[in-house]
Amino acid sequence: MIELENVAYSYGGGELLSDISLKLAPGSFHFLTGPSGAGKTTLMKLCYGALLPTAGHVRLFGADVRGLDRDDIAQIRRRVGVVHQDVKFLDHLGVSENVWLPLTVSGRHAEAANGDLDELLSWVGLTNRADALPPELSGGERQRAALARAVIMSPDVVLADEPTGNIDWEMSQRLLRLLIELNKMGKTVLIATHDLSLIRATKAHVQARVLRIANRRVQLAGADL
Amino acid sequence: MIANMKYLRGLIAGDRQADRVVPPSGFTAQLTLFAAAAMAFLAVFALALSLAAGRLADRWGDELARSATLRIVAPLDQRQAQTDAALRILETTKGVASARALTDADQQALLEPWFGPDLALDTLPVPRLIEVIENDEGMDAAGLRLRLAAEVPGAVLDDHSRWRKPLIDAAGRLRMLGWISTLLIAAAVAAMITLAAQAALAANAQVIAVLRLVGATDDYIAQAFIRRFTLRALSGAAVGTGVGLIAMVLMPDASDAPGFLTELGYQGVHWIFPLLIPVLAGAVAFAATGTAARRTLRELA
C-alpha cells in the first residue's frame, strides 16, 4: 500500500529523517511513536503525499510520488483517510456536511443522501451534533468527526496523527476502538502517538506493530511495550 | 429514466454543494459587484463613442466624397451666363451624375443662420453655388478645373477633399480612442477580478488546505472560485450596462439639429453591442479567475 525506501527528509537545516524503509501492508495496524519533534508528523505527511522525500522513494499504491501530478495526489487522498493532529474543518459548514465533504469534492455527493451517513455519525456518536458548526464542538467531538470524515470514502488506509492528543482517556479509548474496528474491516491503520498506555491498551485487541523514531531513523520497537 | 433524474438531481445538488465549500464573503463581493457595474457603465459610453465616431467618419467620407461644389464668382450681370456655361460643361463631364445650381431661396436658407432672415441677397455679389453629385466612377477634378478655367473664368471647383480629410481623420482618431478605452476597461476589469480572486484565494487558504486534504482536485477548487467571480462580474456588469443604457435612452434628443451629439447613441443593430458587455465581463472574469486560481493553487500544498 504505502512503501518507503531509504527515504530521507530535511527541512533545510539538516536531515530530520534519514534512511527510512517502511512498508505498510494491507490490513496491518501500526503505531508510530517517538519524542515530540522526532518527525512523526513529517513521516505521516510523506505517507499521503503532502511532502516529497528529499532522498529515496515513496510509493503510494505502487506509484512513485515523484511521478505524480497534483490531480494524482488528489486521487490518492481519496484512498487515504487522514486524521490530523489539529483537525481542520470548513467552519462555515455543519458537522454532517464536513463529514461528507470527501464525497462532495469527488463528485459523489449523491451518496451522502443515503443512510450510510447517519450510520457513520452514530458510529462515532455524533448523531445529535450533526448540524453543529465545527467551532462549537469539543476536542473529542472534533477528533471523532475527523475520523468519520477520514473513513467516509471507505479508504484503504487510515492515517491518524495524534488522534487522542487533546482528549481524555475515556474518549481516546473510544476513538481507538473505532480504529480497531476499522482495521478489522480490513483497513490499513497507522497511528502516530506518544501515548504508550494507549499502545498497550490496543495490543490487547489487535496485532499491532510499533515503530519508533529515534536518531532520525525508524526502528521496530521490541516487546518491552 | 428515474435513474437519470436521480443522477441529474444529484448533479445539481452537487453543484450547489460545490459552491458552498467556499465560505461566502459579503463585503468584498459587494466591491467586486460595484467595480464590475461601474466599469460596464463606462464601457457603455466608450462603446457608444467608438460606434458614433465610426458612423460619423463613414458618413462624412461617403456623402462628401460623392459631392463637390462649384462656386461661380462673377459680377451679378454675368453670373447667370457663367452658371449656364458651367452647367453645360458639367453635363458633358464624365463622372458627374447630376449638377444643380442652387436657387436664391436655397442660398438664402444656407446663409440665414449667419446673416439672419432679412438679408437682401440680390443686392450682394454672393457667388452662385452649383451642387455637383458624382456617380460611382468619380470625376477627374483636375481635368474639370482646366476646362472650367478656359470657358468659365469665375468658376472655382471645390471637391471638399481639403476639409473633408482632417474631419475624417479626426473621426477616425476618435473611434480609435473609443476602442482603446473599451479595451482598457476590459483590461481593468481583468486586473480588478484578478486582485479580488487572489485576495479571496489567500483568505481561504485554510479552506483550500482542507479541500486538498480530503481529495479535491485543483480544478474542483478553482471552479468554486471561478463560478463565484464570473457570476459577480456578470451580474455587476449587467446592472452597470442597464443603468448606462437607461442614461443613453434618456439623453436629450436633438435630432432636429444634426450634429455630433445627436449621433452619440446606439442605432439599429448597434444596440446589440452594449448587451454583449456583461457577457464579455463574465468571460474576462472567468479567464482572470481561472488563471489566478491555478497559479495560487500550485503554490499551496
Side-chain angles (χ1 to χ4, degrees):
Chain A
M1 298 249 121
I2 294 178
E3 237 178 296
L4 281 72
E5 191 186 314
N6 304 324
V7 164
Y9 190 82
S10 73
Y11 279 104
E15 282 190 345
L16 180 65
L17 299 169
S18 54
D19 199 23
I20 290 175
S21 294
L22 178 68
K23 205 170 171 179
L24 300 185
S28 64
F29 196 115
H30 284 89
F31 278 106
L32 181 65
T33 184
S36 282
K40 294 193 292 288
T41 301
T42 302
L43 189 61
M44 295 295 245
K45 283 185 173 170
L46 287 167
C47 289
Y48 64 88
L51 293 174
L52 291 178
T54 42
H57 295 282
V58 174
R59 269 185 284 277
L60 306 178
F61 304 100
D64 194 312
V65 285
R66 260 188 261 275
L68 301 176
D69 61 24
R70 290 176 62 84
D71 282 352
D72 294 333
I73 294 282
Q75 293 302 327
I76 281 176
R77 300 262 170 90
R78 296 175 188 179
R79 300 177 64 186
V80 180
V82 180
V83 180
H84 256 282
Q85 196 168 357
D86 51 337
V87 194
K88 298 269 198 318
F89 294 103
L90 299 186
D91 287 346
H92 62 289
L93 297 181
V95 167
S96 56
E97 280 180 284
N98 266 291
V99 167
W100 74 54
L101 192 63
L103 289 175
T104 307
V105 302
S106 52
R108 289 163 54 190
H109 181 71
E111 293 173 35
N114 61 33
D116 290 355
L117 181 78
D118 296 337
E119 209 175 302
L120 182 62
L121 282 179
S122 77
W123 183 64
V124 294
L126 287 175
T127 305
N128 50 11
R129 302 292 277 152
D131 297 324
L133 292 176
E136 299 164 10
L137 298 182
S138 71
E141 286 170 332
R142 285 178 78 86
Q143 296 287 359
R144 281 180 285 149
L147 184 61
R149 185 180 70 185
V151 302
I152 193 160
M153 295 283 279
S154 188
D156 301 314
V157 182
V158 177
L159 303 175
D161 190 2
E162 300 279 6
T164 60
N166 45 19
I167 55 179
D168 60 31
W169 175 248
E170 198 183 327
M171 189 57 75
S172 62
Q173 286 295 301
R174 206 165 142 191
L175 206 67
L176 200 65
R177 275 201 298 280
L178 294 176
L179 284 163
I180 291 170
E181 218 173 303
L182 279 171
N183 181 244
K184 286 185 172 156
M185 287 156 68
K187 314 290 183 201
T188 307
V189 176
L190 174 64
I191 303 172
T193 182
H194 58 260
D195 187 349
L196 296 186
S197 50
L198 190 75
I199 299 174
R200 279 190 211 102
T202 312
K203 281 200 150 185
H205 301 282
V206 69
Q207 187 78 33
R209 288 166 165 240
V210 180
L211 306 163
R212 177 188 286 153
I213 301 182
N215 299 323
R216 297 178 285 134
R217 281 158 216 277
V218 170
Q219 299 149 347
L220 197 60
D224 55 323
L225 281 170
Chain B
M1 186 66 196
I2 289 165
N4 272 347
M5 287 300 290
K6 207 171 165 184
Y7 173 75
L8 205 67
R9 232 185 356 251
L11 202 71
I12 294 163
D15 271 355
R16 202 178 56 220
Q17 202 59 35
D19 279 343
R20 294 195 53 207
V21 298
V22 181
S25 49
F27 180 58
T28 47
Q30 308 283 313
L31 280 183
T32 317
L33 275 172
F34 169 74
M39 288 302 180
F41 185 79
L42 294 178
V44 168
F45 292 101
L47 209 57
L49 178 71
S50 319
L51 294 172
R55 261 197 320 268
L56 214 60
D58 287 350
R59 211 192 54 195
W60 284 345
D62 212 43
E63 286 182 8
L64 298 178
R66 307 203 1 143
S67 73
T69 312
L70 197 62
R71 205 161 67 238
I72 310 291
V73 187
L76 275 176
D77 53 334
Q78 290 176 31
R79 197 172 72 179
Q80 192 54 45
Q82 290 209 12
T83 303
D84 293 342
L87 282 173
R88 270 197 305 281
I89 291 173
L90 285 169
E91 269 163 31
T92 58
T93 302
K94 217 168 149 256
V96 173
S98 71
R100 181 181 73 92
L102 267 60
T103 62
D104 280 342
D106 289 335
Q107 298 200 183
Q108 176 100 38
L110 277 176
L111 290 173
E112 199 183 285
W114 279 272
F115 296 113
D118 303 327
L119 183 69
L121 206 58
D122 43 358
T123 63
L124 288 172
V126 177
R128 175 65 73 206
L129 293 179
I130 298 174
E131 185 187 45
V132 182
I133 305 293
E134 296 172 35
N135 62 18
D136 289 340
E137 294 165 43
M139 63 178 185
D140 171 16
L144 181 61
R145 278 202 187 92
L146 282 176
R147 284 180 66 192
L148 287 168
E151 298 183 33
V152 192
V156 179
L157 177 71
D158 180 3
D159 62 359
H160 301 171
S161 61
R162 194 160 33 83
W163 60 278
R164 190 177 74 218
K165 207 171 162 305
L167 273 181
I168 293 173
D169 282 352
R173 199 63 56 83
L174 208 58
R175 165 162 52 178
M176 198 174 73
L177 281 176
W179 284 117
I180 289 176
S181 305
T182 312
L183 280 181
L184 282 177
I185 288 169
V189 168
M192 181 267 298
I193 295 283
T194 303
L195 286 174
Q198 225 139 29
L201 286 159
N204 287 302
Q206 196 198 312
V207 169
I208 292 170
V210 170
L211 290 174
R212 282 295 298 175
L213 184 72
V214 300
T217 58
D218 282 354
D219 277 346
Y220 179 88
I221 300 169
Q223 280 307 323
F225 287 92
I226 291 172
R227 205 167 10 231
R228 183 168 292 194
F229 280 99
T230 304
L231 283 177
R232 276 181 203 162
L234 194 75
S235 48
V239 171
T241 306
V243 174
L245 286 178
I246 290 171
M248 289 288 346
V249 170
L250 291 184
M251 211 154 65
D253 187 17
S255 54
D256 290 343
F260 180 74
L261 263 182
T262 52
E263 299 283 318
L264 192 65
Y266 294 100
Q267 285 177 5
V269 207
H270 285 170
W271 283 101
I272 292 174
F273 284 101
L275 298 182
L276 293 178
I277 290 174
V279 182
L280 215 70
V284 166
F286 181 83
T289 317
T291 314
R294 271 176 259 280
R295 195 177 47 228
T296 309
L297 285 172
R298 262 201 309 275
E299 289 162 10
L300 296 171

